[in-house]
């Protein structure tokens, strides 16, 4: 595993995170921050059993999407899917949209929370509670 710092509390594993993960990582820079309660944005995207939305400046949003499977907020396999959008003119990233399974989103949220914990150990109890509350576990590679 080759994890390196990306930005804010976000890190990337270049060997296994795949392509087009940057829109999600960009959003996580604003989702997990030290000037807001950790649950501020997380409560707006989890759980994915109903329509959820988080977003703001500078040009980012995460929402679970309704696919062509009727009214379900999941794919044909029963997995929740999130649509991530970033303003390409602000981020300077090539791709401004990404679609990710809930497990992938939770994997990267968890990694970001663990990076946050390393810098702010006083939040350990709150982070543990959020992991349990929202089922924010690492995705099995």
């Amino acid at each position: 595993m080759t994890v390196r710092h990306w930005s804010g509390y976000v890190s990337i594993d270049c060997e296994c995170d795949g392509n087009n993960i940057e829109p999600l990582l960009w959003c996580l820079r604003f989702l997990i921050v030290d000037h807001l309660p950790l649950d501020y944005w997380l409560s707006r995207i989890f759980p994915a059993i109903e329509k959820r939305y988080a977003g703001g400046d500078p040009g980012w949003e995460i929402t679970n999407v309704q696919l062509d499977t009727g009214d379900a907020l999941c794919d044909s396999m029963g997995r929740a899917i999130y649509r991530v959008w970033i303003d390409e003119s602000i981020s300077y990233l090539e791709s401004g949209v990404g679609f990710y399974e809930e497990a992938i989103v939770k994997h990267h949220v968890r990694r970001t929370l663990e990076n946050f914990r390393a810098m702010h150990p006083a939040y350990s109890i709150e982070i543990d509670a959020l992991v349990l509350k929202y089922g924010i576990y690492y995705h099995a590679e």
Side-chain angles (χ1 to χ4, degrees):
M1 186 159 80
T2 310
V3 177
R4 65 171 210 237
H5 182 259
W6 197 76
S7 183
Y9 297 102
V10 180
S11 60
I12 185 169
D13 184 342
C14 297
E15 293 177 11
C16 67
D17 282 342
N19 295 326
N20 198 32
I21 199 71
E22 288 87 2
L24 177 59
L25 300 179
W26 177 269
C27 290
L28 290 178
R29 293 177 56 210
F30 308 104
L31 201 77
I32 311 279
V33 292
D34 52 16
H35 62 276
L36 292 171
L38 293 178
D39 202 25
Y40 184 81
W41 292 114
L42 294 179
S43 67
R44 288 163 170 78
I45 63 169
F46 299 133
I49 57 174
E50 58 189 42
K51 190 71 171 167
R52 301 301 229 173
Y53 168 85
D57 285 333
W60 67 276
E61 63 182 42
I62 299 177
T63 186
N64 55 338
V65 294
Q66 183 172 332
L67 300 172
D68 295 333
T69 55
D71 293 331
L73 291 170
C74 55
D75 66 9
S76 61
M77 302 288 289
R79 297 172 298 206
I81 303 295
Y82 285 84
R83 177 187 179 272
V84 172
W85 170 85
I86 58 172
D87 186 332
E88 294 173 20
S89 66
I90 295 172
S91 68
Y92 297 107
L93 295 174
E94 285 185 25
S95 177
V97 177
F99 292 88
Y100 310 97
E101 294 176 13
E102 181 181 31
I104 299 298
V105 173
K106 286 184 174 182
H107 175 87
H108 289 282
V109 166
R110 176 68 184 267
R111 186 186 294 158
T112 304
L113 284 171
E114 293 304 330
N115 292 340
F116 186 93
R117 182 195 312 259
M119 296 298 294
H120 306 283
Y123 285 87
S124 287
I125 292 172
E126 182 179 353
I127 290 170
D128 291 342
L130 291 173
V131 166
L132 290 174
K133 180 178 181 179
Y134 297 122
I136 307 171
Y137 303 108
Y138 285 117
H139 175 67
E141 304 296 344

